[in-house]
Amino acid sequence: MKNLWAVEWLRWPGWGQFWGQLVREHMRQRRRQVFDMRAEIDPSTGHVHAVLDAVGGDDRFENGLSANFTVTGPQPGGETHTQPMPQTAPGRYEADFPLDRYGSFLMHASLEKPIDDGHGSLKTAVVAESFGT
């Protein structure tokens, strides 16, 4: 980024903080898997159908996870709705939601599983995520 194309950016007071946060975020090692999510609109019903295929790095299906699907929109400043995303096939999680307005929506799926905390109790940990628009 040089001043030829980004003069206004260079004058922005948050310039240094922005680049510092951007670099730190991308240097971090991710502890969660990120799976691709697809979404399609059915024009006849006005519903959006989201599908997430959870296949691990070892090419095995990630089964038995608890998945939650969150939709925020339309952007900017839209409402947020969360619903379960049940498993429908090996490694596949799906959700349908009605689309009552047009606009840009953000989608996020969080997949969790119970993990032993080392003290004889179970806690829930996010093991994978998916994002879409």
Side-chain angles (χ1 to χ4, degrees):
M1 301 295 286
K2 298 199 180 224
N3 63 359
L4 177 64
W5 299 105
V7 172
E8 295 303 317
W9 276 72
L10 292 170
R11 291 182 185 148
W12 177 43
W15 174 257
Q17 180 182 1
F18 168 78
W19 283 105
Q21 289 174 342
L22 181 74
V23 169
R24 276 192 303 279
E25 174 64 24
H26 291 282
M27 287 176 55
R28 291 184 182 134
Q29 289 206 348
R30 303 226 183 253
R31 297 180 190 263
R32 300 177 182 150
Q33 296 180 58
V34 177
F35 298 124
D36 290 333
M37 180 170 38
R38 297 179 313 280
E40 297 177 350
I41 298 173
D42 182 350
S44 65
T45 64
H47 279 236
V48 174
H49 183 75
V51 177
L52 184 153
D53 288 318
V55 180
D58 58 358
D59 288 333
R60 292 183 181 200
F61 295 120
E62 298 288 335
N63 294 314
L65 301 176
S66 174
N68 288 310
F69 182 70
T70 303
V71 179
T72 305
Q75 296 301 319
E79 298 175 6
T80 299
H81 300 280
T82 301
Q83 69 183 60
M85 192 174 204
Q87 184 172 356
T88 59
R92 177 165 283 192
Y93 299 84
E94 299 184 57
D96 280 303
F97 66 95
L99 188 63
D100 57 358
R101 308 177 230 178
Y102 291 102
S104 176
F105 291 82
L106 301 175
M107 297 178 291
H108 175 255
S110 174
L111 291 94
E112 303 174 341
K113 73 177 181 180
I115 296 177
D116 186 354
D117 69 356
H119 302 291
S121 298
L122 293 177
K123 66 177 187 173
T124 303
V126 176
V127 296
E129 292 182 294
S130 293
F131 301 92
T133 55

